[in-house]
Amino acid sequence: MISLRMATAHDADAIWAVLEPVIRAGETYALDRAMPREAALAYWMGADKQTLVAVDAAETVLGTYYCRANQAGGGAHVANCGYMVAADAGGRGVARAMAEDSFTRARAQGFTAMQFNFVVASNIPAVALWQKLGFAIVGRLPMAFDHPTIGLVDALVMHRAL
Amino acid sequence: MISLRMATAHDADAIWAVLEPVIRAGETYALDRAMPREAALAYWMGADKQTLVAVDAAETVLGTYYCRANQAGGGAHVANCGYMVAADAGGRGVARAMAEDSFTRARAQGFTAMQFNFVVASNIPAVALWQKLGFAIVGRLPMAFDHPTIGLVDALVMHRAL
């Protein structure tokens, strides 16, 4: 069973354990691979964001996501979220559970759409999951991401109504 | 004659005079229309950005722009800039002069492309200028901007190599 709850400062260690391997790998997020723990947590749990954790029945953190308004002013009705799954929690539907939770929460907060600004095109499982969950590719950023092993690949802008 | 130079703290009043009417109008930038002066200057002249001013021979500020890396990590080779022209300096080529200066500077700093993340589609002069200057529309964000008089309009993602 996967449940979602708001993250607290007590989750910092568990969240960092999820973030660190993803950031260090540098294959899916456009973040500095050397980003230190405090900077990463300040980014992921920043004041402009709501940050949640996916936990199992034993309260083990399986993943984490954040949501925020993607733009201010006239763009504030579109949500933006980022998701990371714990290295040892793949294949259990954690990403999907987090995504569906994020749609519900974003809708409840009045957002009418969700946009992902930078889905690395070589991250095939992510692209496939987002399409399965109703996202359309609305933009393709040519060679926008320098993948550590593949080299320059496109990044996708993905969008769905809520 | 329009020349470009790095902005300093002494330019804050002149920069705010350019920013304020654009932000208050809320027609072209996804920024809170009520954004206070200090927040706007912190945004436009933030530590993550280089901020320049376009001045005439008398050192009157005609416009201002910023540039930064659009993403960190594997996305850090793509620049992102924002431009605003003073309310009384339209039609003099200020936007074009700033754009061309930004291409040169970004190229010199090693950026290989430039991306605009959110060009409001109803801002026809801007879209036309960017296309004339070599930008392609690589994304269309459906109804991503709530224009104060027109209502929901698309926003465009625009890109050019440097």
Side-chain angles (χ1 to χ4, degrees), chain A residues 110-127:
Chain A
F111 290 106
T112 58
M114 188 175 290
Q115 182 183 316
F116 300 149
N117 300 311
F118 203 87
V119 181
V120 176
S122 55
N123 188 0
I124 308 284
V127 177

PDB file of all heavy atoms in Angstrom, chain A residues 110-127:
ATOM      1  N   GLY A 110      -7.264  24.542  -7.416  1.00  0.00           N
ATOM      2  CA  GLY A 110      -7.717  25.476  -8.437  1.00  0.00           C
ATOM      3  C   GLY A 110      -6.877  25.510  -9.705  1.00  0.00           C
ATOM      4  O   GLY A 110      -7.184  26.266 -10.629  1.00  0.00           O
ATOM      5  N   PHE A 111      -5.819  24.703  -9.753  1.00  0.00           N
ATOM      6  CA  PHE A 111      -5.046  24.642 -11.000  1.00  0.00           C
ATOM      7  C   PHE A 111      -5.903  23.963 -12.069  1.00  0.00           C
ATOM      8  O   PHE A 111      -6.621  23.003 -11.787  1.00  0.00           O
ATOM      9  CB  PHE A 111      -3.752  23.849 -10.798  1.00  0.00           C
ATOM     10  CG  PHE A 111      -2.729  24.553  -9.944  1.00  0.00           C
ATOM     11  CD1 PHE A 111      -2.492  24.131  -8.637  1.00  0.00           C
ATOM     12  CD2 PHE A 111      -2.012  25.636 -10.433  1.00  0.00           C
ATOM     13  CE1 PHE A 111      -1.556  24.770  -7.838  1.00  0.00           C
ATOM     14  CE2 PHE A 111      -1.070  26.291  -9.637  1.00  0.00           C
ATOM     15  CZ  PHE A 111      -0.842  25.861  -8.340  1.00  0.00           C
ATOM     16  N   THR A 112      -5.813  24.457 -13.289  1.00  0.00           N
ATOM     17  CA  THR A 112      -6.630  23.894 -14.372  1.00  0.00           C
ATOM     18  C   THR A 112      -5.803  23.075 -15.365  1.00  0.00           C
ATOM     19  O   THR A 112      -6.364  22.483 -16.283  1.00  0.00           O
ATOM     20  CB  THR A 112      -7.371  25.016 -15.122  1.00  0.00           C
ATOM     21  OG1 THR A 112      -6.413  25.947 -15.631  1.00  0.00           O
ATOM     22  CG2 THR A 112      -8.326  25.745 -14.183  1.00  0.00           C
ATOM     23  N   ALA A 113      -4.503  23.087 -15.185  1.00  0.00           N
ATOM     24  CA  ALA A 113      -3.645  22.294 -16.063  1.00  0.00           C
ATOM     25  C   ALA A 113      -2.328  22.026 -15.343  1.00  0.00           C
ATOM     26  O   ALA A 113      -2.024  22.643 -14.310  1.00  0.00           O
ATOM     27  CB  ALA A 113      -3.377  23.022 -17.380  1.00  0.00           C
ATOM     28  N   MET A 114      -1.573  21.074 -15.876  1.00  0.00           N
ATOM     29  CA  MET A 114      -0.245  20.786 -15.338  1.00  0.00           C
ATOM     30  C   MET A 114       0.744  20.731 -16.491  1.00  0.00           C
ATOM     31  O   MET A 114       0.429  20.211 -17.559  1.00  0.00           O
ATOM     32  CB  MET A 114      -0.240  19.460 -14.572  1.00  0.00           C
ATOM     33  CG  MET A 114       1.069  19.198 -13.828  1.00  0.00           C
ATOM     34  SD  MET A 114       1.012  17.699 -12.806  1.00  0.00           S
ATOM     35  CE  MET A 114      -0.111  18.197 -11.507  1.00  0.00           C
ATOM     36  N   GLN A 115       1.913  21.293 -16.268  1.00  0.00           N
ATOM     37  CA  GLN A 115       2.947  21.297 -17.305  1.00  0.00           C
ATOM     38  C   GLN A 115       4.256  20.793 -16.732  1.00  0.00           C
ATOM     39  O   GLN A 115       4.662  21.192 -15.640  1.00  0.00           O
ATOM     40  CB  GLN A 115       3.121  22.722 -17.842  1.00  0.00           C
ATOM     41  CG  GLN A 115       4.151  22.807 -18.975  1.00  0.00           C
ATOM     42  CD  GLN A 115       4.362  24.228 -19.444  1.00  0.00           C
ATOM     43  OE1 GLN A 115       3.408  24.976 -19.617  1.00  0.00           O
ATOM     44  NE2 GLN A 115       5.613  24.613 -19.644  1.00  0.00           N
ATOM     45  N   PHE A 116       4.915  19.920 -17.491  1.00  0.00           N
ATOM     46  CA  PHE A 116       6.295  19.538 -17.185  1.00  0.00           C
ATOM     47  C   PHE A 116       7.183  20.279 -18.185  1.00  0.00           C
ATOM     48  O   PHE A 116       6.983  20.171 -19.397  1.00  0.00           O
ATOM     49  CB  PHE A 116       6.487  18.025 -17.315  1.00  0.00           C
ATOM     50  CG  PHE A 116       5.610  17.213 -16.395  1.00  0.00           C
ATOM     51  CD1 PHE A 116       5.162  15.952 -16.775  1.00  0.00           C
ATOM     52  CD2 PHE A 116       5.214  17.689 -15.151  1.00  0.00           C
ATOM     53  CE1 PHE A 116       4.361  15.184 -15.937  1.00  0.00           C
ATOM     54  CE2 PHE A 116       4.407  16.931 -14.305  1.00  0.00           C
ATOM     55  CZ  PHE A 116       3.977  15.676 -14.703  1.00  0.00           C
ATOM     56  N   ASN A 117       8.152  21.002 -17.676  1.00  0.00           N
ATOM     57  CA  ASN A 117       8.935  21.886 -18.528  1.00  0.00           C
ATOM     58  C   ASN A 117      10.104  21.213 -19.229  1.00  0.00           C
ATOM     59  O   ASN A 117      10.617  21.742 -20.219  1.00  0.00           O
ATOM     60  CB  ASN A 117       9.498  23.040 -17.689  1.00  0.00           C
ATOM     61  CG  ASN A 117       8.396  23.848 -17.039  1.00  0.00           C
ATOM     62  OD1 ASN A 117       7.447  24.245 -17.701  1.00  0.00           O
ATOM     63  ND2 ASN A 117       8.502  24.071 -15.730  1.00  0.00           N
ATOM     64  N   PHE A 118      10.519  20.055 -18.689  1.00  0.00           N
ATOM     65  CA  PHE A 118      11.816  19.542 -19.152  1.00  0.00           C
ATOM     66  C   PHE A 118      11.891  18.036 -18.899  1.00  0.00           C
ATOM     67  O   PHE A 118      12.587  17.576 -17.995  1.00  0.00           O
ATOM     68  CB  PHE A 118      12.918  20.296 -18.385  1.00  0.00           C
ATOM     69  CG  PHE A 118      14.256  20.321 -19.079  1.00  0.00           C
ATOM     70  CD1 PHE A 118      14.550  21.316 -20.005  1.00  0.00           C
ATOM     71  CD2 PHE A 118      15.217  19.369 -18.811  1.00  0.00           C
ATOM     72  CE1 PHE A 118      15.782  21.350 -20.635  1.00  0.00           C
ATOM     73  CE2 PHE A 118      16.455  19.388 -19.446  1.00  0.00           C
ATOM     74  CZ  PHE A 118      16.737  20.396 -20.357  1.00  0.00           C
ATOM     75  N   VAL A 119      11.179  17.266 -19.718  1.00  0.00           N
ATOM     76  CA  VAL A 119      11.241  15.812 -19.619  1.00  0.00           C
ATOM     77  C   VAL A 119      12.307  15.346 -20.612  1.00  0.00           C
ATOM     78  O   VAL A 119      12.166  15.536 -21.819  1.00  0.00           O
ATOM     79  CB  VAL A 119       9.877  15.172 -19.956  1.00  0.00           C
ATOM     80  CG1 VAL A 119       9.963  13.650 -19.822  1.00  0.00           C
ATOM     81  CG2 VAL A 119       8.773  15.743 -19.064  1.00  0.00           C
ATOM     82  N   VAL A 120      13.365  14.774 -20.088  1.00  0.00           N
ATOM     83  CA  VAL A 120      14.468  14.353 -20.960  1.00  0.00           C
ATOM     84  C   VAL A 120      13.967  13.234 -21.879  1.00  0.00           C
ATOM     85  O   VAL A 120      13.429  12.229 -21.423  1.00  0.00           O
ATOM     86  CB  VAL A 120      15.677  13.900 -20.110  1.00  0.00           C
ATOM     87  CG1 VAL A 120      16.788  13.368 -21.008  1.00  0.00           C
ATOM     88  CG2 VAL A 120      16.181  15.074 -19.267  1.00  0.00           C
ATOM     89  N   ALA A 121      14.128  13.436 -23.183  1.00  0.00           N
ATOM     90  CA  ALA A 121      13.499  12.542 -24.163  1.00  0.00           C
ATOM     91  C   ALA A 121      14.027  11.113 -24.062  1.00  0.00           C
ATOM     92  O   ALA A 121      13.318  10.159 -24.393  1.00  0.00           O
ATOM     93  CB  ALA A 121      13.696  13.087 -25.572  1.00  0.00           C
ATOM     94  N   SER A 122      15.262  10.959 -23.569  1.00  0.00           N
ATOM     95  CA  SER A 122      15.811   9.606 -23.435  1.00  0.00           C
ATOM     96  C   SER A 122      15.267   8.869 -22.216  1.00  0.00           C
ATOM     97  O   SER A 122      15.521   7.675 -22.054  1.00  0.00           O
ATOM     98  CB  SER A 122      17.345   9.670 -23.353  1.00  0.00           C
ATOM     99  OG  SER A 122      17.747  10.537 -22.304  1.00  0.00           O
ATOM    100  N   ASN A 123      14.509   9.562 -21.393  1.00  0.00           N
ATOM    101  CA  ASN A 123      13.881   8.936 -20.217  1.00  0.00           C
ATOM    102  C   ASN A 123      12.555   8.312 -20.657  1.00  0.00           C
ATOM    103  O   ASN A 123      11.467   8.766 -20.311  1.00  0.00           O
ATOM    104  CB  ASN A 123      13.679   9.995 -19.132  1.00  0.00           C
ATOM    105  CG  ASN A 123      13.219   9.406 -17.803  1.00  0.00           C
ATOM    106  OD1 ASN A 123      13.051   8.189 -17.683  1.00  0.00           O
ATOM    107  ND2 ASN A 123      13.009  10.263 -16.820  1.00  0.00           N
ATOM    108  N   ILE A 124      12.687   7.249 -21.439  1.00  0.00           N
ATOM    109  CA  ILE A 124      11.533   6.632 -22.102  1.00  0.00           C
ATOM    110  C   ILE A 124      10.434   6.208 -21.120  1.00  0.00           C
ATOM    111  O   ILE A 124       9.244   6.452 -21.376  1.00  0.00           O
ATOM    112  CB  ILE A 124      11.985   5.397 -22.924  1.00  0.00           C
ATOM    113  CG1 ILE A 124      13.157   5.766 -23.861  1.00  0.00           C
ATOM    114  CG2 ILE A 124      10.822   4.802 -23.706  1.00  0.00           C
ATOM    115  CD1 ILE A 124      12.801   6.539 -25.072  1.00  0.00           C
ATOM    116  N   PRO A 125      10.786   5.575 -19.984  1.00  0.00           N
ATOM    117  CA  PRO A 125       9.708   5.163 -19.069  1.00  0.00           C
ATOM    118  C   PRO A 125       8.889   6.366 -18.576  1.00  0.00           C
ATOM    119  O   PRO A 125       7.666   6.283 -18.460  1.00  0.00           O
ATOM    120  CB  PRO A 125      10.457   4.503 -17.906  1.00  0.00           C
ATOM    121  CG  PRO A 125      11.807   4.143 -18.452  1.00  0.00           C
ATOM    122  CD  PRO A 125      12.117   5.156 -19.497  1.00  0.00           C
ATOM    123  N   ALA A 126       9.559   7.485 -18.328  1.00  0.00           N
ATOM    124  CA  ALA A 126       8.832   8.660 -17.855  1.00  0.00           C
ATOM    125  C   ALA A 126       7.906   9.193 -18.946  1.00  0.00           C
ATOM    126  O   ALA A 126       6.727   9.457 -18.706  1.00  0.00           O
ATOM    127  CB  ALA A 126       9.808   9.748 -17.409  1.00  0.00           C
ATOM    128  N   VAL A 127       8.445   9.334 -20.146  1.00  0.00           N
ATOM    129  CA  VAL A 127       7.624   9.850 -21.251  1.00  0.00           C
ATOM    130  C   VAL A 127       6.404   8.955 -21.451  1.00  0.00           C
ATOM    131  O   VAL A 127       5.274   9.438 -21.616  1.00  0.00           O
ATOM    132  CB  VAL A 127       8.448   9.962 -22.550  1.00  0.00           C
ATOM    133  CG1 VAL A 127       7.568  10.418 -23.717  1.00  0.00           C
ATOM    134  CG2 VAL A 127       9.630  10.914 -22.370  1.00  0.00           C
TER     135      VAL A 127
END
